[in-house]
Each structure stands twice: as structure tokens, then as C-alpha cells.
Amino acid sequence: MERKPVLCPCCGSRLIDESVTTECNTYEIERNKQKLADFYVKCWKCKKDIAIVMTSKN
Ligand SMILES: [Zn+2]
């Protein structure tokens, strides 16, 4: 299974891996609290709360 890393938008650290057919956007929750995301993860490095939004899936 091929995977690609999803990077933290704040510090560029790898948060999770996604499959190569998945596309997603990431943003810092602090900056866009109203927006609904699919996943939420805390960056292990900069400790910021990051939201992940799936944009397409095959
Ligand atoms: Zn980070």
C-alpha cells in the first residue's frame, strides 16, 4: 500500500500518512474555528491543534 505523509501546516512535521488516492487540506484550528473538518490531531512537535479536511477520494 502506497502512502504519502500529511504535514503539519505550522511546522511541517509529519502528522499522519494518507493513501496516495486521498487528497486533504490541513489548517490550524485556531485560525478557522467555524470550519468543519473530518479529523483533528494535535501536532506532536509544535503542539498545535490541526484540522484535516478530506477533499477527494477515489
Ligand atoms: Zn506542527
Side-chain angles (χ1 to χ4, degrees), residues 2-58:
E2 278 202 67
R3 299 186 293 188
K4 61 183 178 180
V6 177
L7 303 179
C8 173
C10 302
C11 70
S13 294
R14 184 170 136 231
L15 299 173
I16 58 168
D17 285 341
E18 64 184 358
S19 78
V20 289
T21 57
T22 303
E23 291 296 331
C24 66
N25 289 326
T26 56
Y27 62 90
E28 191 184 341
I29 293 171
E30 196 83 355
R31 290 164 167 268
N32 207 341
K33 285 180 177 165
Q34 315 304 325
K35 198 171 170 184
L36 189 66
D38 294 303
F39 304 103
Y40 301 93
V41 62
K42 197 180 198 76
C43 177
W44 59 273
K45 191 165 186 185
C46 67
K47 313 292 188 205
K48 296 218 162 99
D49 287 312
I50 306 303
I52 301 171
V53 184
M54 309 275 290
T55 53
S56 74
K57 195 167 190 213
N58 296 324

